[in-house]
Structures are given as structure tokens and as C-alpha cells.
Amino acid sequence: MTTKQAPTPLQKMGLDSPMALALHLPSRYEDETELLTIEEAVSHGRYGAVQTQGLVVRNQVLFRPRRQMIVTIEDQAETLQLRFLNFYPSQQKQMAVGAHLRVRGDIRDGFQGNEMVHPTVRAVFPDTPLPTSLTPVYPASAGISQTIIRKAVTQALRDPSLKESLAEFLPKKLMAQLLPSNDWPHLQAAITYLHQPPADANTQALLERTHPAWRRVQFEELLAQQISLKRAHALRRERNAPSFGKPDQKESSIEAGLLKALPFKLTGAQNRVWSEIGDDLSHSFPMNRLLQGDVGSGKTVVAALAAARAMDHGYQAAVMAPTEILAEQHYLKMKEWFEPLGINIAWLSGSLKAKAKRLAQESIESGTAQLIIGTHALIQENVSFAKLGLAVIDEQHRFGVRQRLEIQQRVGSETFYCHQLMMSATPIPRTLAMTYYADLDVSVIDELPPGRKPISTKVVKASRRDEVISGLQSWLEKGLQAYWVCPLIEESEVLQLQTAVESFEQLTLALPGFKVGLVHGRLKADEKAAVMAAFKANQIQLLVATTVIEVGVDVPNAALMVIEHAERFGYAQIHQLRGRVGRGSADSVCILMYAEPLSMAAKERLQTLREISDGFVIAERDLSLRGPGELLGAKQSGDAMLRFVDLQRDAWLIELAQQAADRLLADHGDIVERHLERWLGSRAEFLKA
Ligand code: ADP
Ligand code: MG
């Protein structure tokens, strides 16, 4: 058959080969290995599902009040009602009088005595044997039945090709050294066990995925990942990038000029990370470094130093940020620092007029632009760099892995790579860094610039809005400025705008004598810039904003922030937002206003945020709630890397897999290839980013 057919529901779920089916592991199990008489079922079935069977003696469709089917079955001693509120004609037929049914469900009191509502039903013969293994329940997309998946999996497990695809690669000796009390089954045995665990299996360990059979599979997956990360690491060292050593003529360098012009001294932490980065830049293979530092820790100046170093060597440097406002902040700051040194800076964003855009593109392409600042436009628009030596990517988790690969392609050469510096205020917990980013070097700024005051965070009911506003008034009367943040309303940008406009109008009325400004995502870039500039110049005292100011905005005199509907924000968002205040010398305050009713989760979140100001601790909480994908932007890569591993639960396995990966790479090159192919296939590419 060569005609193209529409994909079956199984194929749509990606279950298109024996191997794919074998790796489609159950999410839980049902115990159908035990059969009770109806009498026993009735007395045990109030505390959990039970299985029994009997002959159908009556099948009625009633209307009271809704259409429903009541089926009565009986065995030697007892009868039982089965109630179906939804049913198909095929089920009516299956459960006709005279059929023999095996049913599984909870027992409850019905109108006419004991009943099961929507039990699982199978037509059987009185002597149909019971299964000897637990019945797997699989993850399934809507409209695909467990029966279909179970059949397909059972068939796949018998497929001779699995012997090869699931062959045991791991050398016995290696495993014995790593795991002295190794009780892990071989891979194929582990997979079979997980699909068809015997009746006496430790179901709790199976559910919690801590059973040795699970461990075996998780280890395989992590091993593949660690191997490919390590290979990416080695591969990067074979690539060519321009080497940027410390400038020879130190005094007249751009770098020295920048350092001299700065109105402050670098902190110890900034000096340390700058020397780590400087060291990377001096190598002739591309840097791939993440600069982590809490909001306000001063990452920008470190990026500027790296850019200066590249420019000192006659190369271009680019800075890319995820939002227009943030990119613009960088642009203004870099202009302030670099223009007096005679550097030619280009600005590129999607909202530029056609002519300005073309001019920017030309200067980037010809190389007259030495420093290029912009948004996604740097990779989306038709840009090719004359001589890009360094790409700085701010708030890297906002970009997808693909986009980070993309910037490399803009360099225009397959044999020549630029150095990459990623920056993030969202700390990445160690377990994550080890698994997702083994090929990423990490520098941490763990010290805030001197003179910063801690931010005190308050949690206030929305019903006390008037009090908050009068507090705001006395704040402004002291000559200080403030932010008023309106929440993101994901369902509706219009609604979001509307609430922001309402708050703006209300606050304008409530605070005569002060200028209130409004900034939101719908404004044009130059309008936004005008509002931000006026706020920075203190022509605006209170800035009402949607979350467009989430990252990077820097106005030291604004030390109060009110966040409306704080319960709708996530940990990281609030932490980043409040990092906008606490940058000047005034005591800083962040007021989290919430509307009731408050969910347990939101309550806990606000409380944590009130008590904890350490971004690292907050990120850990965030990780346990949201999972790694969102934190890293891995979701945007389209494929979660790890299917069976939970980074928190299985952290110890990661270290084991790392050791095994080292040993395999050193001594068993042939195994490495087969292992990678089996587990990652095309996904391995993402690990290079
Ligand atoms: P972030 O790490 O959040 O990007 P920024 O780079 O925007 O932080 O820096 C926050 C503020 O701190 C800026 O106003 C910056 O000029 C200032 N700053 C940075 N480094 C120092 C320092 N060593 N001493 C004093 N102020 C600093
Ligand atoms: Mg920043």
C-alpha cells in the first residue's frame, strides 16, 4: 500500500512504531486481577473500586428525570444495579439481557439499593480467566480509548524489532561500579514490567515512579541527555570564534574609556564575573555563558564591558532584549556610555519606520554600526552582520532555543561562530542547570550594588484601595515617584487596556497636583519612549502600567510599587516587577493588592513573596510549581527533553548519569551512538543551543 492515508488517532499521538508504543508508559494501573462475588463487592466497594461479575437480568432505559440506562446483573446470591447517564446504542446491545458482564467500579447507595455508576464493563463468559497482571491506564488524547492503546501496546511489545531497539547497552561492569546494589532490571524487562506489572507488584512504587523498573528507564533517558550535552560541550570547543584578549593599548581602549566614565565602581561580584567572561572571550572557541544575577544586581554594565572588548578588537557586538521597552532602556544606557567614546550605535526594532529600518540594516551589514541594540527584530528582519563577535541576549528565558540558534545563523558563516552571553534574573536551580545546560557556563552576580535598601513587601486586600491611594499621596508629596501595575489579562488585551485606563483615570482624579502617566502594550514605540522618558525626568510622578515594565526599567527615584490583582501573577513576575524599586537611596515598598476570594495557592504565593526576597529561593518554589519548561523557555522549543524524569524527585539519578556518561564517552564510543539515536533522535539539536 503506497497511497497516503490520514493518520490514525494513535499516529497523531506520535505512537507510530513499536518503539514509540513501548515507550508510551502507563500513568497508573487498575487492579482487575481479583474478582469478588456481588455480595463481597457490595461490602468492600464503598472504599474503592472493586470487580465483580454477573448475568444481565434486566435492562431498562428510564426517564427520571433524565434519560438513563439501568442494568441489573445477578450472580448466585445477589443482584447489583449499574447506572449509565450517557450511553451509546452499542452499549445497550453489549449489556442486553442474557449477557455476562464483568464490571469494575465503586459501590454506592442508589434509589433501588446498591449500584455502580458508570462502571468499566466487559462482556465475558462466566469462566473467562482473570488477567494476571495489573491493567495499565495510559495517557491518551481525547477520543482514543484505553482498549485501543492497550491492544496496540501489547502487540508492539511482542514485535521482534524491540529486541534490537531495547537491547541492553550498559556494560555490566560499569553498572556494578556505579550502583553496587544494582536491582535494576534490563531495559526490555523494565519496560515490559511497567506495561504489565504482576498482580503483586508494589503499586505505590510504580505510581510514584520510584520502582527499580522506572529507575532503569529514567536512567537511560538521563544518560542520553548527559551524553549529548557533553558532546555539545566538546563540539563547541572545536568551533572557531575570534579570540578577544585584553587590549594591548590598555589606556586608549574602549574598555578603559567605559570604566573611566562609569559613575560607580564595579562590585566585587561584577569584577569576578567580568573576569570569567573576559577569560571566555580570549578563547578561540565560542563562549556560551549565562550571567545570572537578581534584578538590580547590575548585569548591564558587565554586558557593556564584554561589548567593549569585542569592539576593541574591531568586531561588532549586539544586544538583544525580549521587549521593546527593555531593548530601549539598553539602547539609552549604552548610548550614554558609548557615544562619548565615539562608538557608532544602531537601533533596530520591529516598529521602526521602513526607512530607518533600512538604514539600520545597511549600517549593520556594512559594519559601520559597531554596537547594535534591538528586539527580536535582530533575528526576524532581514539582517546580516558584517562582523559580529559577540551576541548578548538579555532575559534569555524569554527567547526560545530556536531563536538563540538563529542569531548564530545571522553571523553568516558556518565555520565561524560568535561569542554568546545570556543574561537572566531568574536563577536556574542546580538540577536544571545540570540537565538542560551542561554546556552552558554560568556566572553569578551574588551581590547587589552598595547602598541598596531591602524592599519591604506588603500584602493588602483590594477593599483597602482608598487607604493605599492616600498612602500613595503622602509618598508623592515627599518628592518620590511610584509605579502602579495593572495585571495582565491573558484572555483579552482589550479588557486589560480597559482596566489600566480605568485605574489611570481614577488615580488622576484622586491625586490632583501630580502628573500621572500611562504606559501599555498598545502604545507605539515612540509614545512609550516619551512616557518612559518623562517618568525618568520626574515630569510624571506616578506611572500606571501594564506588565510591559516587567523587566529592566530603571528609575531610581521610583521606590514604591503597587501591584493590583497580585494574586494573578506568578512568583517570577512579581519578583521581577518589584525589582524595579529598591534601586535608589529611599526605603522601598512594594504593595501587593489582592482581590478575594484567594485560592490556597495564591495565598501561599503572596505570603512567600512577602517573606522572601531572595530570587533563588523564589525560583526553586516556582520550579516545583511550574516545572522546568516554563522557567527555561524550553516549552518554546516544542519538545520537552525529559519524559520520565522529574528533576526534583530524581536529582540523585542525574549525578549517576553524569558519571556513566563520562565513562561511556571515554571507553565505549560505539555504545554512545546507538544510545543517543534510540533516545533523542532529532531532539538532540536543541541541546546545542
Ligand atoms: P539588572 O541586573 O537587573 O539588569 P542593571 O544592570 O539595570 O540591573 O543595574 C541596576 C542599576 O544599578 C542601574 O541603575 C545601574 O546603573 C546600577 N549599578 C550597576 N552596577 C553598579 C555598581 N557597581 N554600583 C552602583 N550602581 C550600580
Ligand atoms: Mg537588566
Side-chain angles (χ1 to χ4, degrees), residues 548-585:
V548 289
I549 61 158
E550 187 178 334
V551 282
V553 177
D554 185 24
V555 181
N557 191 46
L560 171 69
M561 175 176 283
V562 180
I563 302 180
E564 265 192 280
H565 281 295
E567 79 278 1
R568 294 192 196 157
F569 292 86
Y571 275 118
Q573 267 180 318
I574 289 192
H575 184 64
Q576 294 234 333
L577 275 168
R578 74 177 170 188
R580 300 307 110 215
V581 298
R583 298 196 160 204
S585 47

Side-chain angles (χ1 to χ4, degrees), residues 299-300 326 330 394-395 552:
K299 297 184 287 295
T300 318
L326 182 53
H330 283 315
D394 198 9
E395 301 299 334

Side-chain angles (χ1 to χ4, degrees), residues 370-404:
Q370 295 161 280
L371 180 60
I372 301 103
I373 321 273
T375 57
H376 293 79
L378 290 183
I379 48 175
Q380 278 161 357
E381 309 279 344
N382 192 13
V383 180
S384 62
F385 293 88
K387 216 179 167 189
L388 185 65
L390 168 75
V392 177
I393 301 171
D394 198 9
E395 301 299 334
Q396 56 84 31
H397 60 285
R398 298 277 206 95
F399 292 97
V401 176
R402 279 235 177 271
Q403 290 168 315
R404 299 210 302 268

Side-chain angles (χ1 to χ4, degrees), residues 80-83 106-111 113-117:
L80 180 66
Q81 316 267 356
L82 315 176
R83 183 194 300 272
D106 298 325
I107 301 280
R108 56 167 231 186
D109 289 324
F111 287 123
N114 299 310
E115 67 176 18
M116 277 187 186
V117 180

